[in-house]
Coordinates of all heavy atoms in Angstrom, one line a residue:
G4 N 1.7 -40.6 65.8 CA 3.0 -40.2 66.1 C 3.0 -39.0 67.0 O 2.0 -38.4 67.3
E5 N 4.2 -38.6 67.4 CA 4.4 -37.4 68.2 C 4.6 -36.2 67.3 O 5.2 -36.3 66.2 CB 5.7 -37.6 69.1 CG 5.6 -38.8 70.0 CD 4.5 -38.5 71.1 OE1 4.5 -37.3 71.6 OE2 3.8 -39.4 71.5
P6 N 4.1 -35.0 67.8 CA 4.4 -33.8 67.0 C 5.8 -33.5 66.9 O 6.7 -33.8 67.8 CB 3.7 -32.7 67.9 CG 2.8 -33.4 68.8 CD 3.4 -34.8 69.0
V7 N 6.2 -32.9 65.8 CA 7.6 -32.4 65.5 C 7.6 -30.9 65.6 O 7.0 -30.2 64.7 CB 8.1 -32.9 64.2 CG1 9.5 -32.4 63.9 CG2 8.1 -34.5 64.1
E8 N 8.3 -30.4 66.6 CA 8.4 -28.9 66.7 C 9.6 -28.5 65.9 O 10.7 -29.1 65.9 CB 8.6 -28.6 68.2 CG 8.7 -27.1 68.4 CD 8.8 -26.7 69.9 OE1 8.9 -27.6 70.8 OE2 8.8 -25.5 70.2
G9 N 9.5 -27.3 65.3 CA 10.7 -26.7 64.6 C 11.0 -27.2 63.3 O 12.0 -26.9 62.7
A10 N 10.0 -28.0 62.7 CA 10.2 -28.4 61.3 C 10.0 -27.2 60.4 O 9.1 -26.4 60.5 CB 9.3 -29.5 60.9
G11 N 10.9 -27.0 59.4 CA 10.7 -25.9 58.4 C 9.7 -26.4 57.4 O 9.9 -27.4 56.7
M12 N 8.7 -25.6 57.2 CA 7.6 -25.9 56.3 C 7.7 -24.9 55.1 O 7.7 -23.7 55.4 CB 6.3 -25.8 56.9 CG 6.2 -26.7 58.2 SD 6.5 -28.5 57.9 CE 5.2 -28.9 56.7
H13 N 7.8 -25.4 53.9 CA 8.0 -24.5 52.7 C 6.9 -24.8 51.7 O 6.5 -25.9 51.5 CB 9.4 -24.8 52.1 CG 10.5 -24.7 53.1 ND1 11.2 -23.6 53.4 CD2 11.0 -25.6 54.0 CE1 12.1 -23.8 54.3 NE2 12.0 -25.0 54.7
V14 N 6.6 -23.7 50.9 CA 5.7 -23.9 49.8 C 6.3 -23.3 48.6 O 6.6 -22.1 48.6 CB 4.3 -23.2 50.0 CG1 3.4 -23.4 48.8 CG2 3.6 -23.9 51.2
G15 N 6.6 -24.1 47.5 CA 7.1 -23.6 46.3 C 8.6 -23.3 46.4 O 9.2 -23.2 47.4
G16 N 9.2 -23.1 45.2 CA 10.6 -22.6 45.1 C 11.6 -23.5 45.8 O 11.4 -24.6 46.1
D17 N 12.7 -22.8 46.1 CA 13.7 -23.5 47.0 C 13.8 -22.8 48.3 O 13.0 -21.9 48.6 CB 15.1 -23.5 46.2 CG 15.6 -22.1 45.9 OD1 15.3 -21.1 46.6 OD2 16.3 -22.0 44.9
A18 N 14.7 -23.2 49.1 CA 14.8 -22.6 50.5 C 14.9 -21.1 50.5 O 14.5 -20.5 51.5 CB 15.9 -23.3 51.3
D19 N 15.5 -20.5 49.5 CA 15.7 -19.1 49.5 C 14.5 -18.3 49.1 O 14.4 -17.1 49.6 CB 16.9 -18.7 48.6 CG 18.2 -19.3 49.1 OD1 18.4 -19.4 50.3 OD2 19.1 -19.6 48.2
D20 N 13.6 -18.8 48.3 CA 12.5 -18.0 47.8 C 11.1 -18.6 48.1 O 10.1 -18.1 47.7 CB 12.6 -17.6 46.3 CG 12.6 -18.8 45.4 OD1 12.4 -20.0 45.9 OD2 12.7 -18.6 44.2
A21 N 11.1 -19.7 48.8 CA 9.8 -20.3 49.1 C 9.1 -19.6 50.3 O 9.7 -19.0 51.1 CB 10.0 -21.8 49.6
A22 N 7.7 -19.6 50.3 CA 7.0 -19.2 51.4 C 7.3 -20.2 52.5 O 7.3 -21.4 52.3 CB 5.5 -19.1 51.1
Q23 N 7.6 -19.7 53.8 CA 8.0 -20.7 54.8 C 7.6 -20.2 56.2 O 7.4 -19.1 56.5 CB 9.5 -20.9 54.7 CG 10.3 -19.6 54.8 CD 11.8 -19.9 54.5 OE1 12.4 -20.9 55.0 NE2 12.4 -19.1 53.7
T24 N 7.6 -21.2 57.1 CA 7.4 -21.0 58.5 C 7.9 -22.2 59.2 O 8.5 -23.1 58.6 CB 5.9 -20.8 58.8 OG1 5.7 -20.3 60.1 CG2 5.1 -22.1 58.6
F25 N 7.7 -22.3 60.5 CA 8.2 -23.5 61.3 C 7.0 -24.0 62.1 O 6.1 -23.3 62.5 CB 9.3 -23.1 62.3 CG 10.5 -22.7 61.6 CD1 10.8 -21.4 61.2 CD2 11.5 -23.7 61.2 CE1 12.0 -21.1 60.5 CE2 12.6 -23.4 60.6 CZ 12.9 -22.0 60.2
T26 N 7.0 -25.3 62.4 CA 6.0 -25.9 63.2 C 6.1 -25.5 64.6 O 7.2 -25.3 65.1 CB 6.0 -27.5 63.1 OG1 7.3 -27.9 63.4 CG2 5.7 -27.9 61.7
D27 N 5.0 -25.5 65.3 CA 5.0 -25.1 66.8 C 5.1 -26.4 67.6 O 5.4 -27.5 67.0 CB 3.7 -24.3 67.1 CG 2.4 -25.1 67.0 OD1 2.4 -26.4 66.9 OD2 1.3 -24.5 67.0
A28 N 5.0 -26.3 68.9 CA 5.2 -27.4 69.8 C 4.2 -28.6 69.5 O 4.5 -29.7 69.9 CB 5.0 -26.9 71.3
E29 N 3.1 -28.3 68.9 CA 2.1 -29.3 68.6 C 2.2 -29.8 67.2 O 1.4 -30.6 66.7 CB 0.7 -28.7 68.8 CG 0.4 -28.4 70.3 CD 0.5 -29.5 71.2 OE1 0.0 -30.6 70.9 OE2 1.1 -29.4 72.3
G30 N 3.2 -29.3 66.4 CA 3.5 -29.8 65.1 C 2.6 -29.0 64.0 O 2.6 -29.4 62.9
N31 N 1.9 -28.0 64.5 CA 1.0 -27.2 63.6 C 1.8 -26.1 62.8 O 2.8 -25.6 63.4 CB -0.1 -26.6 64.4 CG -1.0 -27.6 65.0 OD1 -1.4 -28.5 64.4 ND2 -1.2 -27.4 66.3
Y32 N 1.3 -25.8 61.7 CA 1.9 -24.7 60.9 C 0.8 -24.0 60.0 O -0.2 -24.7 59.8 CB 3.1 -25.1 60.0 CG 2.7 -26.0 58.9 CD1 2.5 -25.4 57.6 CD2 2.4 -27.3 59.0 CE1 2.1 -26.2 56.5 CE2 2.0 -28.1 57.9 CZ 1.9 -27.5 56.7 OH 1.5 -28.3 55.6
A33 N 1.0 -22.8 59.6 CA 0.1 -22.2 58.6 C 1.0 -21.2 57.8 O 1.8 -20.5 58.3 CB -1.0 -21.4 59.4
I34 N 0.7 -21.3 56.5 CA 1.4 -20.3 55.5 C 0.3 -19.7 54.7 O -0.5 -20.4 54.1 CB 2.4 -21.1 54.6 CG1 3.5 -21.7 55.5 CG2 3.0 -20.1 53.6 CD1 4.4 -22.6 54.7
G35 N 0.1 -18.4 54.7 CA -0.9 -17.7 54.0 C -0.4 -16.9 52.9 O 0.7 -16.9 52.5
E36 N -1.4 -16.3 52.2 CA -1.1 -15.4 51.1 C -0.5 -16.1 49.9 O 0.4 -15.6 49.3 CB -0.2 -14.2 51.5 CG -0.8 -13.4 52.7 CD -2.2 -12.8 52.4 OE1 -2.4 -12.3 51.3 OE2 -3.0 -12.8 53.3
L37 N -1.0 -17.3 49.6 CA -0.4 -18.1 48.5 C -1.3 -17.9 47.3 O -2.5 -17.6 47.3 CB -0.4 -19.6 48.9 CG 0.4 -19.9 50.1 CD1 0.2 -21.4 50.4 CD2 1.9 -19.6 49.9
V38 N -0.6 -18.0 46.1 CA -1.3 -17.9 44.9 C -1.9 -19.2 44.5 O -1.3 -20.3 44.7 CB -0.3 -17.4 43.8 CG1 -1.0 -17.3 42.4 CG2 0.3 -16.0 44.2
A39 N -3.1 -19.2 43.9 CA -3.8 -20.5 43.5 C -3.0 -21.2 42.5 O -2.3 -20.5 41.6 CB -5.2 -20.2 43.0
G40 N -3.0 -22.5 42.5 CA -2.3 -23.3 41.5 C -1.6 -24.5 42.1 O -1.7 -24.7 43.3
G41 N -0.8 -25.2 41.3 CA -0.1 -26.3 41.8 C 1.2 -25.9 42.5 O 1.9 -25.0 42.0
E42 N 1.5 -26.5 43.6 CA 2.7 -26.1 44.3 C 3.3 -27.4 45.0 O 2.5 -28.4 45.2 CB 2.5 -25.1 45.4 CG 2.3 -23.7 44.9 CD 3.6 -23.0 44.4 OE1 4.6 -23.7 44.4 OE2 3.5 -21.9 44.0
T43 N 4.5 -27.4 45.4 CA 5.1 -28.4 46.2 C 5.2 -27.9 47.6 O 5.8 -26.8 47.9 CB 6.5 -28.8 45.7 OG1 6.3 -29.3 44.4 CG2 7.1 -29.9 46.6
V44 N 4.7 -28.6 48.6 CA 4.9 -28.3 50.0 C 5.9 -29.3 50.6 O 5.9 -30.5 50.3 CB 3.5 -28.5 50.8 CG1 3.7 -28.1 52.3 CG2 2.4 -27.6 50.2
W45 N 6.9 -28.8 51.3 CA 7.9 -29.6 51.8 C 8.3 -29.3 53.2 O 8.1 -28.1 53.7 CB 9.1 -29.6 50.9 CG 9.6 -28.4 50.3 CD1 9.0 -27.6 49.4 CD2 10.8 -27.7 50.5 NE1 9.7 -26.5 49.0 CE2 10.9 -26.5 49.7 CE3 11.9 -28.0 51.4 CZ2 11.9 -25.6 49.7 CZ3 13.0 -27.1 51.4 CH2 13.0 -25.9 50.5
A46 N 8.7 -30.3 53.9 CA 9.1 -30.2 55.4 C 10.5 -30.7 55.6 O 10.9 -31.7 55.0 CB 8.1 -31.1 56.2
V47 N 11.3 -29.9 56.3 CA 12.6 -30.3 56.7 C 12.9 -30.1 58.1 O 12.4 -29.2 58.8 CB 13.7 -29.5 55.8 CG1 13.6 -29.8 54.4 CG2 13.5 -28.0 56.1
H48 N 13.7 -31.0 58.7 CA 14.1 -30.9 60.1 C 15.4 -31.7 60.2 O 15.5 -32.8 59.6 CB 13.0 -31.6 61.0 CG 13.2 -31.4 62.4 ND1 14.1 -32.2 63.2 CD2 12.7 -30.5 63.3 CE1 14.1 -31.8 64.4 NE2 13.2 -30.8 64.5
P49 N 16.3 -31.2 61.0 CA 17.6 -31.9 61.1 C 17.6 -33.4 61.5 O 18.5 -34.2 61.2 CB 18.4 -31.1 62.1 CG 17.7 -29.8 62.3 CD 16.3 -30.0 61.8
S50 N 16.6 -33.8 62.2 CA 16.5 -35.2 62.7 C 15.7 -36.1 61.8 O 15.6 -37.3 62.1 CB 15.8 -35.2 64.1 OG 16.6 -34.4 65.0
F51 N 15.2 -35.6 60.7 CA 14.3 -36.4 59.8 C 14.7 -36.2 58.4 O 15.3 -35.2 58.0 CB 12.8 -36.0 60.0 CG 12.4 -36.2 61.4 CD1 12.4 -35.2 62.4 CD2 11.9 -37.5 61.8 CE1 12.0 -35.4 63.7 CE2 11.5 -37.7 63.1 CZ 11.5 -36.7 64.1
A52 N 14.3 -37.2 57.6 CA 14.4 -37.0 56.1 C 13.4 -36.0 55.6 O 12.3 -35.9 56.1 CB 14.2 -38.4 55.4
P53 N 13.8 -35.2 54.6 CA 12.8 -34.3 54.0 C 11.6 -35.0 53.5 O 11.7 -36.1 53.0 CB 13.6 -33.6 52.9 CG 15.0 -33.9 53.1 CD 15.1 -35.2 53.9
A54 N 10.5 -34.3 53.5 CA 9.2 -34.9 52.9 C 8.6 -33.9 52.0 O 8.7 -32.7 52.3 CB 8.3 -35.3 54.1
Y55 N 8.0 -34.3 50.9 CA 7.5 -33.5 49.9 C 6.1 -34.0 49.5 O 5.8 -35.2 49.5 CB 8.3 -33.5 48.6 CG 9.7 -33.1 48.8 CD1 10.7 -34.0 49.2 CD2 10.2 -31.8 48.6 CE1 12.0 -33.7 49.4 CE2 11.5 -31.4 48.8 CZ 12.4 -32.4 49.2 OH 13.7 -32.0 49.4
Q56 N 5.2 -33.0 49.2 CA 3.9 -33.3 48.7 C 3.5 -32.3 47.6 O 3.6 -31.1 47.9 CB 2.8 -33.3 49.7 CG 2.9 -34.4 50.7 CD 1.7 -34.5 51.7 OE1 0.5 -34.4 51.2 NE2 1.9 -34.6 53.0
D57 N 3.0 -32.7 46.5 CA 2.5 -31.8 45.4 C 1.0 -31.6 45.7 O 0.3 -32.6 46.0 CB 2.7 -32.4 44.1 CG 4.1 -32.5 43.6 OD1 4.9 -31.6 44.0 OD2 4.5 -33.4 42.9
V58 N 0.6 -30.3 45.8 CA -0.8 -30.0 46.1 C -1.3 -29.0 45.1 O -0.6 -28.2 44.5 CB -0.9 -29.5 47.6 CG1 -0.5 -30.5 48.6 CG2 -0.2 -28.2 47.7
E59 N -2.6 -29.0 45.0 CA -3.3 -27.9 44.2 C -4.0 -27.0 45.2 O -4.7 -27.3 46.1 CB -4.4 -28.6 43.4 CG -5.1 -27.6 42.4 CD -4.1 -27.1 41.3 OE1 -3.2 -27.9 40.9 OE2 -4.3 -26.0 40.9
I60 N -3.6 -25.7 45.1 CA -4.1 -24.7 46.0 C -5.2 -23.9 45.3 O -5.0 -23.4 44.2 CB -2.9 -23.7 46.4 CG1 -1.8 -24.5 47.2 CG2 -3.5 -22.5 47.2 CD1 -0.6 -23.7 47.4
T61 N -6.4 -23.9 45.9 CA -7.5 -23.2 45.4 C -7.8 -21.9 46.1 O -7.7 -21.8 47.3 CB -8.8 -24.1 45.5 OG1 -8.5 -25.4 45.0 CG2 -10.0 -23.6 44.9
S62 N -8.0 -20.9 45.3 CA -8.2 -19.5 45.8 C -9.4 -19.5 46.8 O -10.5 -20.1 46.5 CB -8.5 -18.6 44.7 OG -8.7 -17.3 45.1
G63 N -9.3 -18.9 47.9 CA -10.3 -18.7 48.9 C -10.6 -19.9 49.8 O -11.5 -19.9 50.6
Q64 N -9.8 -21.0 49.7 CA -10.0 -22.1 50.5 C -8.7 -22.4 51.4 O -7.6 -22.0 51.0 CB -10.3 -23.4 49.7 CG -11.6 -23.3 48.9 CD -11.9 -24.6 48.3 OE1 -11.1 -25.5 48.2 NE2 -13.1 -24.7 47.8
I65 N -8.9 -23.1 52.5 CA -7.8 -23.5 53.3 C -7.5 -25.0 52.9 O -8.4 -25.8 52.9 CB -8.2 -23.4 54.8 CG1 -8.4 -22.0 55.2 CG2 -7.1 -24.0 55.7 CD1 -8.9 -21.7 56.6
R66 N -6.3 -25.3 52.6 CA -5.9 -26.6 52.2 C -5.0 -27.2 53.4 O -4.0 -26.6 53.8 CB -5.0 -26.5 50.9 CG -4.5 -27.8 50.4 CD -5.6 -28.7 50.0 NE -5.1 -30.1 49.9 CZ -4.8 -30.6 48.7 NH1 -4.9 -30.0 47.6 NH2 -4.4 -31.9 48.7
R67 N -5.4 -28.3 53.9 CA -4.7 -29.0 54.9 C -3.7 -30.0 54.3 O -4.1 -30.8 53.5 CB -5.6 -29.7 55.9 CG -4.9 -30.4 57.0 CD -5.8 -30.9 58.1 NE -5.0 -31.4 59.2 CZ -4.7 -30.7 60.3 NH1 -5.1 -29.4 60.4 NH2 -4.0 -31.2 61.3
V68 N -2.4 -29.9 54.7 CA -1.4 -30.8 54.2 C -0.6 -31.3 55.4 O 0.1 -30.5 56.0 CB -0.4 -30.1 53.2 CG1 0.6 -31.0 52.7 CG2 -1.2 -29.4 52.1
D69 N -0.8 -32.5 55.7 CA -0.1 -33.2 56.9 C 1.1 -34.0 56.4 O 1.0 -34.6 55.3 CB -1.1 -34.1 57.7 CG -2.2 -33.3 58.3 OD1 -2.0 -32.1 58.7 OD2 -3.3 -33.9 58.5
F70 N 2.1 -34.1 57.2 CA 3.3 -34.9 57.0 C 3.5 -35.9 58.1 O 3.3 -35.5 59.2 CB 4.5 -34.0 56.8 CG 4.5 -33.2 55.6 CD1 3.9 -32.0 55.5 CD2 5.2 -33.6 54.4 CE1 3.9 -31.2 54.3 CE2 5.2 -32.9 53.3 CZ 4.5 -31.7 53.2
V71 N 4.1 -37.0 57.8 CA 4.7 -37.9 58.7 C 6.2 -38.0 58.4 O 6.5 -38.4 57.3 CB 4.1 -39.3 58.7 CG1 4.8 -40.3 59.6 CG2 2.6 -39.3 59.0
L72 N 7.0 -37.4 59.3 CA 8.4 -37.3 59.0 C 9.1 -38.6 59.5 O 8.8 -39.1 60.6 CB 9.0 -36.1 59.7 CG 8.4 -34.8 59.3 CD1 9.1 -33.6 60.0 CD2 8.6 -34.6 57.8
E73 N 9.9 -39.1 58.7 CA 10.6 -40.4 59.0 C 12.1 -40.1 59.2 O 12.6 -39.2 58.7 CB 10.5 -41.4 57.8 CG 9.1 -41.7 57.3 CD 8.4 -42.6 58.3 OE1 9.0 -43.2 59.2 OE2 7.1 -42.7 58.2
H74 N 12.7 -40.9 60.1 CA 14.1 -40.7 60.3 C 14.8 -41.1 59.0 O 14.5 -42.1 58.4 CB 14.6 -41.6 61.5 CG 14.1 -41.0 62.8 ND1 14.7 -40.0 63.4 CD2 13.1 -41.4 63.6 CE1 14.1 -39.7 64.5 NE2 13.1 -40.5 64.7
G75 N 15.8 -40.3 58.6 CA 16.5 -40.6 57.4 C 17.7 -41.5 57.7 O 18.0 -41.9 58.8
V76 N 18.4 -41.8 56.6 CA 19.6 -42.7 56.7 C 20.8 -41.8 56.5 O 20.7 -40.7 56.0 CB 19.6 -43.8 55.7 CG1 18.4 -44.7 55.9 CG2 19.6 -43.2 54.3
T77 N 21.9 -42.2 57.0 CA 23.2 -41.5 56.8 C 23.9 -42.1 55.7 O 24.1 -43.4 55.6 CB 24.0 -41.5 58.1 OG1 23.2 -40.9 59.1 CG2 25.3 -40.8 57.9
V78 N 24.4 -41.3 54.8 CA 25.2 -41.8 53.7 C 26.6 -41.2 53.9 O 26.7 -40.0 54.1 CB 24.6 -41.3 52.3 CG1 25.6 -41.7 51.2 CG2 23.2 -41.9 52.1
R79 N 27.6 -42.1 53.9 CA 29.0 -41.6 54.0 C 29.8 -42.1 52.9 O 29.5 -43.2 52.3 CB 29.5 -42.2 55.3 CG 28.9 -41.6 56.5 CD 29.4 -42.1 57.8 NE 28.5 -41.7 58.9 CZ 28.9 -41.2 60.0 NH1 30.2 -41.1 60.3 NH2 28.1 -40.8 60.9
G80 N 30.7 -41.4 52.5 CA 31.6 -41.8 51.4 C 32.8 -40.8 51.3 O 33.1 -40.1 52.3
R81 N 33.4 -40.8 50.2 CA 34.5 -40.0 50.0 C 34.5 -39.5 48.5 O 34.2 -40.4 47.6 CB 35.7 -40.9 50.3 CG 37.0 -40.1 50.4 CD 38.1 -41.0 50.9 NE 39.3 -40.7 50.3 CZ 40.4 -41.4 50.3 NH1 40.3 -42.7 50.8 NH2 41.5 -41.0 49.8
A82 N 34.8 -38.3 48.3 CA 34.9 -37.8 46.9 C 36.4 -37.7 46.5 O 37.2 -37.1 47.3 CB 34.2 -36.4 46.8
L83 N 36.7 -38.3 45.4 CA 38.1 -38.2 44.9 C 38.2 -37.6 43.6 O 37.3 -37.7 42.8 CB 38.6 -39.7 44.8 CG 38.6 -40.5 46.1 CD1 38.9 -42.0 45.8 CD2 39.5 -39.9 47.2
R84 N 39.3 -36.9 43.4 CA 39.6 -36.2 42.1 C 40.2 -37.3 41.2 O 41.0 -38.1 41.6 CB 40.6 -35.1 42.4 CG 41.0 -34.3 41.2 CD 41.9 -33.2 41.5 NE 42.8 -33.6 42.6 CZ 43.7 -32.8 43.1 NH1 43.9 -31.6 42.6 NH2 44.4 -33.2 44.1
G85 N 39.7 -37.2 39.9 CA 40.2 -38.2 38.9 C 41.6 -37.8 38.5 O 42.1 -36.7 38.7
S86 N 42.4 -38.7 37.9 CA 43.7 -38.4 37.5 C 43.8 -37.6 36.2 O 43.0 -37.5 35.4 CB 44.5 -39.7 37.1 OG 44.0 -40.8 37.5

């Protein structure tokens, strides 16, 4: 596939407290200074569905986590207040 530039890459937590960065023009990213243990790595981009992977991070090693982002579907509806 083609590289996705500008995807938000996150490790752990939610969007407010996760370690994060963005992919470059070649789709590459790097997030450092992580604590060893189990974490969720996730990718978000306005043109694609979010993608998640659970990974085990080992101290002193570089862990490669690649994603294939898929186009998402649009859900439309209406929220109504009950009587």
Side-chain angles (χ1 to χ4, degrees):
E5 296 293 319
V7 176
E8 182 176 6
M12 305 303 299
H13 308 268
V14 177
D17 58 30
D19 294 329
D20 65 2
Q23 56 189 313
T24 192
F25 292 92
T26 56
D27 65 16
E29 297 299 316
N31 297 310
Y32 71 98
I34 300 175
E36 305 301 321
L37 300 172
V38 177
E42 287 287 2
T43 300
V44 181
W45 41 293
V47 294
H48 189 281
S50 298
F51 299 94
Y55 302 86
Q56 290 188 47
D57 292 324
V58 299
E59 187 67 29
I60 298 170
T61 305
S62 182
Q64 294 188 351
I65 295 174
R66 177 68 196 259
R67 183 170 185 93
V68 182
D69 294 330
F70 287 87
V71 175
L72 300 181
E73 303 287 344
H74 289 282
V76 298
T77 300
V78 176
R79 293 179 191 223
R81 192 169 147 200
L83 303 173
R84 179 178 35 180
S86 346

